[in-house]
Amino acid sequence: MSTAPTPPRQHRYRRRADMPLLGGVRPPIALLLVLLLAVAAITALAVGGLRVDDTPQAVRESHQYAAEDTALSLRAGLRENTTDLLRSAARYDRAPAEPAEVLTALGRAYRKWRGTVIVRPDTGRLLAAHGETVPLAGLDLGLVTDTAPAPLLVPSAAGTRLLTFALVSTVHDGRALLVASDNLRLPNLATRDGQTIQVLDTAGTVLDTTGAGLSDETARQLVATARSRATERVAERAPAPGGTVSGSLAGAADPRGARRVAGYAAVAGADPQDPATALGLTVVSTGGVDGKAAGLRHPALGLAAAGALLTLALLLALFLHRTLQRPVLRLFLDARRLTRGELDRPVRGPRRGEAGRIGRALEELRLQLRDPARPPAAPAPRRRWPGVVLPLGLAAAVVLGWSGPLLLLGGNDGEVRVPTQVVAGQRDRTDNAADRLRQALNEGYADLRALAPELTTASVGTAQALLRTALAQHERYRALYVLGAGGEVLARAGEEPHRTGPGALGPGGVLLLNSSGKEPRIAARTPLATPATPVDAVDAAEAVDEAAPVGPVLVGEFRTDFLGGLLDRPGLGRVWLLDDRRRVLAANEAYASFGELPEGRARAVLDTVAGPSGTAGPGGATGPGGATGPTAKHAAADVLRSGGDPVLLAAAPLGGRGAVARLGWSVVTAHPVSWLHLDQNRADRRAVLAGMLGLATAALCLGWLFVAVGLPLRRLAASAEALAAGDRRTVLHPVHHDEVGAVARSLELIRQDLERADRDRADRDRAGHPATAATDF
């Protein structure tokens, strides 16, 4: 006897299962297609649309950095001149002297001014004069009160003169005005062939020039434009502390097609009280761009990569649609059909993966719904097909295959051409860095020689006060102290002396106090019984004491961070100060004291520097052909491509004259080629960015697919197989409201139907009614 099939109950999930699905597997695939097409467009525009600049940014920046270095050196020199004059005048506050004696002592201590005078500010009467005539005509000296005026630029028959002022105490005339006159000179700079560096005032008058002259009107107009641009930028914003307002620009091409570039920098600093701020000076560096601009290594790379990604994006979307989206949607439709009681048509799903496992489980559940007496299926084997991981992995591999070659273009290819102007600029800037360091050490030594006569007859208390005052006036020292005949400390200011005793005594000059330890201790030393030999604070030429004094001596230890700050300049790269044994003494970054040079390839350039003066290093001219300053310096630069990433290396000795000349120290710089603003580096960086965008797109969308679809589908496959194997107790909960969640809800409805059929059959068996042969649902 057959019974009519019991219609399935209406469940609370039924209405949700019929809802349209907008989430799940479709949005990640659509987003992947859209983003990959966007990356292809970015690649075509950013990489394929890059055009070669006939005035490379690296060349323009080399002139900008040269102007910055010159402006900062000029500012430091102006500040040093003002400080030296004020400090020299302040020594007579305690013991006024005759005006002529003041000028004589000033000439003995320093040899930097062309003329000096002392006048009465109220009457203008001349009290003493030394050197050339100081142009005071037109100056209202009656406005001078208790503060010395700021430095001024005044015209004279011999040219524009820079006047520096200080108030000095005299015996008979009280507070008088000390005026020092000098022409505004550029620092001792190394310039390359065809480069011109000029300093201009607010009216555009050229005050000093170094390098090649400007003979054509186009070049002079470019200089005027650069000065105007610097003035406008200074008016718009103040420079950062310790920095300057700078920039670069390219001039128009001449009839032959050659172009000139210019870099400019304002000498004014951030401090309104800085002596250089009121002068309104501008430094301009100009030069030509020789040769043709280097082309790109792969001109068609951007368009080819964009076209390849466009094709791959369409193929990947089609591939994921066929391997993921369509099987999941088919499972959803088949599962919903079973919940509606449509059991006649078999379930035909994919054969492999999680979708195939769920399809086979649904087919088994369909047969169990048709025949409740059908025994459960055997448990599924443990060996699984990779499933959803396989198409996702293949898609990721395809995107990686497109992005990988782009990521390898990091600008470290040995074929990147570095313009000769950039190589020469690195050499000259390294030479100028060595000159700044040499000048700072010589100035420190000159300051000690100027201070030594006052300490000779001073008491201990007075000596302590003088040392504290000198330490406060100069940021270069960490400690100032006087050692007696036995090396004992007689007076000091600042930190503890590094070395005392008889071994601390010796000839005057600049020296290294230690050969090992945590920090190199560089110092200047001079005997207190200093002979009356003039010392040029800029070049300290012959003032090195050869005889080893018995004592006492004045020692000033330099701050290591002060020396490191002199080496730190934008665009110069990594900079090291080496001793005569090529050990690191200071650097603009972290370093090991007395350690080996981190960039071992620089030894080749150092060997060139150590060669005969005037020879050329393998990468740039040196000697007379490279340096056009007053003294030809032996510096060298080269681009080394073997042994690592290409790097632009340069080295320069701390030669010249003065207390530092005999030390045998040198400055080495290393600038990676990939840091240079070249067209090829810009193209490589954009290509790397495109590759990173492609990887990020793949990680986002494929990761979304794996988390939102792959993992729930894998868990659902295991639950479906367990249900087909007879597990009627485990409730299936949908994780997301999407296609996979809809299949889970349908399986839960099937589980409830099977559980109800098993319960009904058990009730009939207990009531003594035999089970029917078949039950139609």
Side-chain angles (χ1 to χ4, degrees):
M1 177 179 180
S2 65
T3 60
T6 304
R9 298 180 183 177
Q10 298 294 325
H11 298 278
R12 58 187 178 93
Y13 294 108
R14 193 78 69 187
R15 182 175 298 175
R16 284 189 178 182
D18 294 334
M19 292 177 60
L21 299 176
L22 299 178
V25 70
R26 287 171 287 188
I29 297 177
L31 182 62
L32 177 66
L33 176 61
V34 172
L35 292 182
L36 288 181
L37 293 178
V39 172
I42 293 174
T43 305
L45 295 176
V47 183
L50 184 64
R51 295 296 178 263
V52 177
D53 191 358
D54 56 354
T55 58
Q57 184 179 350
V59 177
R60 299 196 304 270
E61 286 181 345
S62 68
H63 287 276
Q64 178 182 343
Y65 292 144
E68 286 182 3
D69 293 346
T70 306
L72 293 176
S73 297
L74 193 58
R75 182 195 304 170
L78 293 172
R79 188 186 301 119
E80 186 71 23
N81 284 351
T82 303
T83 302
D84 289 342
L85 193 66
L86 292 174
R87 186 178 63 251
S88 299
R91 293 171 184 163
Y92 297 98
D93 292 343
R94 296 181 299 274
E98 293 292 339
E101 295 179 2
V102 173
L103 296 185
T104 300
L106 187 64
R108 289 175 178 176
Y110 298 100
R111 198 178 57 185
K112 62 171 69 177
W113 293 290
R114 302 178 67 92
T116 53
V117 296
I118 297 180
V119 298
R120 285 282 301 267
D122 52 350
T123 63
R125 182 168 63 92
L126 181 65
L127 302 180
H130 182 273
E132 73 171 20
T133 301
V134 177
L136 298 177
L139 299 182
D140 190 358
L141 301 180
L143 299 178
V144 178
T145 56
D146 296 334
T147 305
L152 290 177
L153 289 171
V154 296
S156 68
T160 303
R161 289 290 183 260
L162 173 66
L163 301 185
T164 309
F165 304 91
L167 295 176
V168 62
S169 298
T170 60
V171 175
H172 302 291
D173 296 279
R175 299 283 281 179
L177 184 63
L178 171 61
V179 185
S181 172
D182 194 11
N183 54 347
L184 187 67
R185 298 186 301 269
L186 286 169
N188 186 17
L189 298 171
T191 57
R192 54 188 177 270
D193 293 337
Q195 183 185 15
T196 302
I197 300 180
Q198 296 179 323
V199 56
L200 301 90
D201 60 9
T202 53
T205 304
V206 178
L207 303 178
D208 194 16
T209 301
T210 183
L214 300 180
S215 57
D216 57 292
E217 184 62 28
T218 304
R220 287 192 288 269
Q221 183 143 17
L222 180 63
V223 172
T225 304
R227 188 201 63 81
S228 302
R229 188 80 57 85
T231 304
E232 294 173 359
R233 294 193 59 185
V234 170
E236 293 174 357
R237 64 179 182 88
T244 182
V245 175
S246 63
S248 63
L249 67 158
D254 61 12
R256 296 174 300 174
R259 301 186 66 176
R260 297 185 68 89
V261 295
Y264 57 86
V267 182
D271 185 7
Q273 303 300 323
D274 193 295
T277 302
L279 299 178
L281 302 176
T282 304
V283 176
V284 180
S285 172
T286 58
V289 181
D290 55 27
K292 296 182 179 180
L296 298 179
R297 185 170 57 245
H298 304 296
L301 174 65
L303 296 179
L309 184 59
L310 176 64
T311 304
L312 291 177
L314 297 176
L315 293 177
L316 281 179
L318 179 62
F319 172 71
L320 293 177
H321 171 75
R322 294 178 61 88
T323 57
L324 286 182
Q325 180 176 336
R326 192 162 67 179
V328 171
L329 292 179
R330 182 181 297 176
L331 288 177
F332 161 68
L333 296 175
D334 287 338
R336 188 172 61 174
R337 177 170 57 83
L338 296 183
T339 59
R340 292 175 175 174
E342 301 174 8
L343 306 177
D344 296 332
R345 189 159 40 116
V347 176
R348 300 186 182 276
R351 296 183 178 182
R352 298 181 178 87
E354 288 84 355
R357 295 165 56 191
I358 297 175
R360 289 189 292 271
L362 285 176
E363 174 61 17
E364 178 63 28
L365 292 174
R366 184 187 71 86
L367 297 176
Q368 293 180 16
L369 288 174
R370 288 177 57 89
D371 183 9
R374 179 184 176 86
R382 293 187 177 182
R383 296 182 63 180
R384 308 292 188 194
W385 185 259
V388 72
V389 176
L390 182 61
L392 294 181
L394 291 177
V398 169
V399 177
L400 180 61
W402 179 85
S403 300
L406 298 180
L407 294 176
L408 296 178
L409 299 175
N412 291 326
D413 195 322
E415 299 178 2
V416 176
R417 177 183 174 273
V418 181
T420 56
Q421 299 98 324
V422 177
V423 178
Q426 183 76 10
R427 179 200 63 207
D428 295 340
R429 295 193 68 201
T430 304
D431 203 358
N432 294 335
D435 185 75
R436 282 195 307 270
L437 195 58
R438 177 189 63 83
Q439 181 178 340
L441 294 175
N442 282 338
E443 285 176 350
Y445 176 63
D447 291 336
L448 296 187
R449 290 179 58 85
L451 181 61
E454 294 187 71
L455 296 173
T456 302
T457 58
S459 62
V460 175
T462 304
Q464 291 275 83
L466 290 174
L467 292 178
R468 284 194 295 267
T469 302
L471 187 66
Q473 290 176 342
H474 298 283
E475 61 179 9
R476 61 170 58 98
Y477 301 114
R478 68 196 307 168
L480 289 171
Y481 49 91
V482 177
L483 300 180
E488 71 279 6
V489 178
L490 301 181
R492 74 175 182 90
E495 300 179 9
E496 289 286 338
H498 178 74
R499 187 172 61 178
T500 58
L505 305 177
V510 178
L511 66 154
L512 184 63
L513 297 179
N514 59 339
S515 59
S516 62
K518 294 183 179 179
E519 186 178 9
R521 305 297 285 262
I522 303 173
R525 180 174 59 196
T526 184
L528 292 190
T530 305
T533 304
V535 177
D536 186 353
V538 177
D539 208 3
E542 301 87 2
V544 179
D545 304 305
E546 298 291 346
V550 178
V553 296
L554 173 61
V555 181
E557 296 186 13
F558 295 101
R559 291 170 44 214
T560 306
D561 57 343
F562 167 75
L563 300 178
L566 295 174
L567 301 175
D568 191 14
R569 286 294 185 270
L572 196 54
R574 299 187 293 269
V575 189
W576 302 276
L577 170 64
L578 306 181
D579 64 3
D580 55 342
R581 297 165 58 183
R582 298 184 179 179
R583 299 177 303 176
V584 179
L585 301 181
N588 64 342
E589 60 178 17
Y591 66 98
S593 299
F594 301 102
E596 295 292 332
L597 184 64
E599 182 55 71
R601 291 178 291 176
R603 295 187 182 93
V605 181
L606 280 171
D607 293 338
T608 304
V609 171
S613 179
T615 58
T622 59
T628 60
T631 303
K633 303 176 182 179
H634 183 58
D638 193 11
V639 179
L640 299 184
R641 306 179 186 274
S642 60
D645 295 337
V647 62
L648 174 57
L649 292 169
L654 266 69
R657 300 177 297 171
V660 187
R662 69 180 67 196
L663 294 176
W665 295 356
S666 57
V667 173
V668 176
T669 62
H671 197 294
V673 173
S674 60
W675 293 5
L676 296 174
H677 290 161
L678 302 173
D679 291 331
Q680 184 59 62
N681 287 341
R682 186 180 299 110
D684 291 344
R685 283 192 288 269
R686 293 184 179 183
V688 170
L689 177 61
M692 294 176 63
L693 289 176
L695 286 182
T697 298
L700 172 65
C701 299
L702 298 181
W704 182 6
L705 271 173
F706 181 72
V707 172
V709 177
L711 291 179
L713 197 65
R714 180 179 296 177
R715 290 191 291 265
L716 184 60
S719 299
E721 290 175 341
L723 179 61
D727 182 8
R728 306 289 189 261
R729 296 181 177 273
T730 303
V731 179
L732 283 75
H733 298 283
V735 179
H736 304 292
H737 185 59
D738 55 8
E739 296 93 338
V740 180
V743 174
R745 285 190 292 271
S746 298
L747 287 174
E748 172 60 20
L749 295 178
I750 294 173
R751 185 195 68 81
Q752 294 177 12
D753 290 341
L754 290 175
E755 184 183 24
R756 186 178 67 253
D758 292 343
R759 189 169 51 251
D760 291 345
R761 187 173 64 253
D763 291 343
R764 287 194 298 271
D765 291 342
R766 284 194 298 269
H769 298 287
T772 59
T775 304
D776 293 332
F777 283 84

